[in-house]
């Protein structure tokens, strides 16, 4: 029985927004001031309403939480890897929500040295995240960064690993990304603009000095670019990477010479992306130069890095996306994607061997893992599928023998992957394009249109949504749900063109693909509109906003996590974090054709008076990527427009940011809310 409570009604204060003679009246513009007590009061009222309306599910939420937690091996640890003479391990202890980082010198039987116990660091903090962690070349110091708000604003500190003393050096309000030079005294870090949070500066810091004395090494003036600092796997070079959605540029400096000047690798050219890997006397470059849309691999001497010196090693292929490379002394490993699936290709430098790792499933994910050493014939990679728990595998590239170092344990004694069926179907979209959908469900399930089905998608930034295993998802599958991922355009699942066909003035393909996938699972009796649920977060939340405006009748319920739904106002405000860097993804609304196109799909601006599905909307007050006011305004406007009695919940975490709650168990509580929302809707129906 659903509880009854009166939904809060946000007060209306019309704000007129005008661009290109188009006037938008935003009744809830006032909600974008988190310092205003009335805003906090409104968010609290929405939270109270959500709590009251779902009070009858509280016990069940707790049951789900305990159920999901019981499958997790609480005293878990990572597969150790050897780096610079030490084995590094991340482990968890029973009942504790945060990891412990440790190392052992020379041998796994050596005494454990704890680097950080994040449970102690997080004590008393409503939110905690350990960001970058980097060991000095002589193994005596570790630099680390912490965020205690959830806004991705970090403080960097340095700890002596012999004495555990934390140095007085404190570098505040930075991105958390930092690396050591080879002198064990100098570190380089990136910092961000305080308003937009764009990472725009690289500084140099000498141990024992104050942050005010740090030297600005690089400032990125172009507000569509952001910067980062890294160190090559060879440990010889420090690299400054400047990147926008479609253009990159690197600068390099020998790490033995921290007071030297960074040298341009290859000047930026709009539309040309490249990344660099150093080995011996050469750089290996992955690039889309010369219209190599799916990327190719090139090589250049380390003392002649400009493009005219680049020589092709692996050419461009129309049907294969080159995603990454891993270099070893005797082998080159390529991570490729073809037909929507990951492939790992191994080639010996002498040309005598070349083969792909064999993978059996049709809905899997495989990628190279931690490979920090050139001088080894062992490749470490990870494999999982929708029904197969994640494994870490050590593969001998010479003998082709593999050793499974670890398979994720699913506790509780009831899980058997043979109880589930994995399936991949191809949906014909409105324009004739074939869109893959990966599904998993219990084998005994009948396709009679009565099964609840949760359809998930993202579809932006060229981010591919691979078919991965989740032990928490079993709580849905074992209650009769089908779980499906729609690999819609806007991701890079089927190569670079798949991304190009779902961005800028082709963005609507992302939305129509999802709607077409929804229609397919209904037509083929996997489910029906009474049992179909959709879920997406961030840019996937934008997708949710569009589909409920365009095809609300297809869905019984929708979960929108930190949804990017007020596209117009956000993209017209260049003071908001990330906005200017997004122009290559969505378009610049200060240009009329992009303004008009975005205006035609922006969820907040296209709310209609109509019936809407049941909805659970979540956000974080400190979110730096999708500001809390977007979902808050959206829900307020939907409340007034919707012409039915479906439920509409806004659940704001007053302590968290874009990634939700910190700590592995707190995140399960958020998941339990989402699952109980879905299962409760099914119970109501039955």
């Amino acid at each position: 029985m659903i509880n009854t409570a009166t939904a809060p009604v946000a007060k209306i204060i019309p704000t007129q927004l005008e661009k290109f003679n188009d006037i938008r009246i935003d009744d809830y513009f006032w909600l974008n001031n988190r310092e205003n007590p009335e805003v906090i009061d409104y968010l609290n009222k929405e939270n109270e309403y959500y709590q009251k309306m779902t009070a009858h599910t509280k016990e069940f939420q707790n049951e789900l939480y305990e159920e999901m937690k019981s499958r997790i091996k609480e005293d878990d640890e990572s597969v150790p890897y050897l780096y610079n003479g030490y084995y590094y391990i991340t482990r968890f202890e029973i009942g504790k929500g945060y990891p412990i980082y440790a190392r052992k010198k020379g041998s796994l039987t050596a005494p454990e040295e704890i680097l950080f116990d994040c449970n102690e660091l997080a004590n008393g903090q409503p939110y905690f995240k350990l960001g970058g962690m980097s060991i000095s070349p002589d193994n005596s110091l570790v630099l680390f960064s912490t965020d205690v708000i959830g806004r991705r604003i970090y403080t960097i500190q340095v700890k002596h690993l012999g004495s555990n003393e934390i140095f007085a050096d404190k570098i505040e309000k930075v991105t958390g990304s930092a690396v050591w030079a080879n002198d064990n005294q100098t570190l380089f870090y990136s910092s961000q603009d305080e308003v937009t949070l764009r990472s725009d500066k690289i500084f140099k810091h000498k141990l024992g000095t104050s942050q005010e004395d740090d030297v600005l090494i690089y400032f990125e003036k172009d507000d569509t670019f952001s910067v980062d600092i890294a160190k090559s796997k060879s440990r010889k070079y420090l690299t400054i990477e400047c990147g926008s959605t479609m253009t990159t540029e690197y600068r390099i400096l020998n790490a033995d010479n921290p007071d030297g000047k960074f040298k341009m690798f290859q000047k930026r050219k709009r539309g040309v992306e490249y990344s660099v890997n150093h080995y011996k006397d050469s750089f290996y470059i992955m690039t889309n130069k010369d219209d190599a849309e799916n990327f190719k691999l090139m090589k250049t001497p380390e003392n002649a890095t400009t493009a005219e010196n680049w020589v092709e090693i692996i050419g461009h292929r129309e049907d294969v996306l080159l995603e990454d490379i891993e270099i070893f002394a005797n082998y080159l490993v390529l991570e490729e994607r073809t037909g929507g699936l990951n492939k790992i290709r191994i080639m010996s430098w002498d040309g005598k061997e070349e083969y792909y790792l064999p993978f059996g499933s049709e809905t899997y994910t495989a990628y190279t893992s931690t490979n920090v050493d050139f001088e080894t014939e062992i490749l470490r990679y990870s494999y999982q599928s929708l029904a197969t728990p994640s494994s870490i595998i050590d593969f001998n590239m010479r003998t082709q023998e593999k050793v499974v170092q670890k398979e994720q344990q699913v506790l509780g004694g009831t899980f058997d992957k043979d109880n589930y069926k994995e399936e991949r179907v191809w949906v014909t979209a409105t324009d004739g394009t074939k869109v893959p959908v990966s599904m998993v469900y219990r084998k005994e399930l009948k396709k009679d249109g009565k099964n609840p089905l949760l359809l998930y998608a993202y579809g932006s930034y060229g981010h591919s949504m691979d078919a991965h295993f989740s032990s928490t998802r079993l709580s849905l599958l074992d209650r009769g749900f089908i779980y499906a991922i729609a690999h819609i355009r806007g991701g890079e699942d089927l190569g670079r063109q798949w991304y190009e066909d779902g961005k800028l003035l082709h963005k609507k393909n992302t939305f129509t693909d999802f709607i077409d996938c929804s229609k397919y699972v209904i037509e083929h009796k996997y489910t029906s509109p009474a049992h179909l649920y959709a879920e997406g977060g961030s840019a996937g939340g934008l997708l949710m906003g569009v589909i409920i405006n365009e095809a609300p009748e297809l869905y019984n319920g929708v979960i929108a996590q930190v949804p990017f739904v007020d596209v117009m106002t956000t993209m017209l405000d260049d003071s908001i974090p990330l906005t200017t860097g997004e122009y290559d993804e969505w378009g610049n609304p200060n240009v009329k054709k992009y303004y008009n196109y975005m205006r035609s799909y922006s969820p907040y601006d296209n709310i209609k008076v109509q019936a809407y599905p049941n909805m659970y909307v979540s956000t974080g007050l400190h979110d730096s990527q999708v500001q809390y006011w977007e979902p808050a305004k959206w829900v307020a406007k939907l409340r007034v427009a919707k012409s039915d009695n479906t439920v509409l919940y806004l659940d704001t975490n007053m302590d968290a940011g874009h990634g939700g709650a910190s700590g592995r168990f707190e995140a399960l509580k958020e998941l339990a809310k989402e699952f109980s929302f879905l299962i409760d809707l099914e119970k109501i129906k039955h």
Side-chain angles (χ1 to χ4, degrees), residues 112-169:
E112 179 185 74
E113 179 185 355
I114 290 180
L115 307 175
F116 296 104
D117 182 341
C118 293
N119 300 287
E120 290 178 7
L121 293 173
N123 193 24
Q125 304 286 0
Y127 178 93
F128 176 80
K129 179 82 190 278
L130 184 73
M133 183 170 65
S134 177
I135 307 285
S136 62
D138 67 0
N139 288 313
S140 70
L141 306 170
V142 59
L143 67 82
F144 66 102
S145 60
T146 52
D147 172 14
V148 293
I149 294 172
R151 234 176 124 64
R152 302 190 183 193
I153 300 171
Y154 288 86
T155 298
I156 294 173
Q157 292 173 275
V158 176
K159 176 171 155 176
H160 189 277
L161 289 170
S163 65
N164 276 334
E165 175 203 354
I166 291 181
F167 290 15
D169 308 51

Side-chain angles (χ1 to χ4, degrees), residues 568 573 621:
M568 300 312 300
D573 183 352
L621 181 63

Side-chain angles (χ1 to χ4, degrees), residues 36-53:
N36 179 351
E38 286 188 71
V39 171
I40 300 300
D41 182 56
Y42 171 70
L43 295 176
N44 283 329
K45 281 190 173 133
E46 281 284 2
N47 280 352
E48 285 162 23
Y49 173 70
Y50 165 65
Q51 295 297 339
K52 278 182 190 159
M53 288 289 284

Side-chain angles (χ1 to χ4, degrees), residues 296-474:
K296 59 183 176 180
L297 184 63
M298 305 185 83
K299 179 181 177 181
T300 196
E302 64 181 347
N303 56 3
T305 63
T306 48
E308 65 270 16
N309 301 295
W310 299 1
V311 176
E312 187 174 287
I313 295 181
I314 306 281
H316 175 257
R317 292 155 291 170
E318 289 293 332
D319 58 343
V320 180
L321 175 68
L322 179 59
E323 291 195 313
D324 208 352
I325 65 166
E326 197 72 70
I327 295 171
F328 297 91
N330 298 316
Y331 295 91
L332 171 65
V333 177
L334 306 177
E335 289 191 75
E336 302 176 346
R337 182 182 291 274
T338 179
L341 293 170
N342 313 107
K343 302 283 168 69
I344 296 179
R345 180 182 177 193
I346 294 167
M347 305 166 72
S348 61
W349 287 116
D350 63 14
K352 290 180 181 170
E353 287 180 278
E354 181 179 340
Y355 55 92
Y356 284 91
L357 292 183
F359 301 124
S361 168
E362 55 178 7
T363 59
Y364 70 86
T365 302
Y367 52 89
T368 63
S369 179
T370 309
N371 294 282
V372 293
D373 190 7
F374 288 115
E375 304 296 329
T376 178
E377 52 193 30
I378 303 295
L379 167 72
R380 180 165 288 179
Y381 72 93
S382 178
Y383 175 86
Q384 59 187 303
S385 76
L386 284 173
T388 309
S390 171
S391 296
I392 299 289
I393 297 158
D394 279 356
F395 179 81
N396 188 306
M397 295 179 280
R398 180 177 53 80
T399 65
Q400 298 192 26
E401 291 173 290
K402 70 175 189 179
V403 177
V404 178
Q405 292 290 358
K406 179 181 180 183
E407 180 171 276
Q408 175 189 348
Q409 282 183 265
V410 181
L411 302 185
T414 59
F415 173 71
D416 179 351
K417 62 185 175 192
D418 291 333
N419 290 336
Y420 305 90
K421 179 172 166 58
E422 297 177 87
E423 192 180 355
R424 198 166 185 237
V425 298
W426 291 83
V427 174
T428 304
T430 308
D431 63 359
T433 303
K434 300 279 192 193
V435 180
V437 177
S438 302
M439 287 193 255
V440 62
Y441 48 86
R442 287 192 67 93
K443 277 185 175 165
E444 66 270 19
L445 182 134
K446 293 185 179 67
K447 293 176 193 167
D448 58 6
K450 295 177 183 170
N451 307 299
L453 187 151
L454 178 58
L455 185 63
Y456 177 84
Y458 185 71
S460 289
Y461 303 106
H463 183 67
S464 300
M465 285 311 307
D466 289 319
H468 64 284
F469 181 79
S470 161
S471 69
T472 55
R473 193 189 296 139
L474 298 172

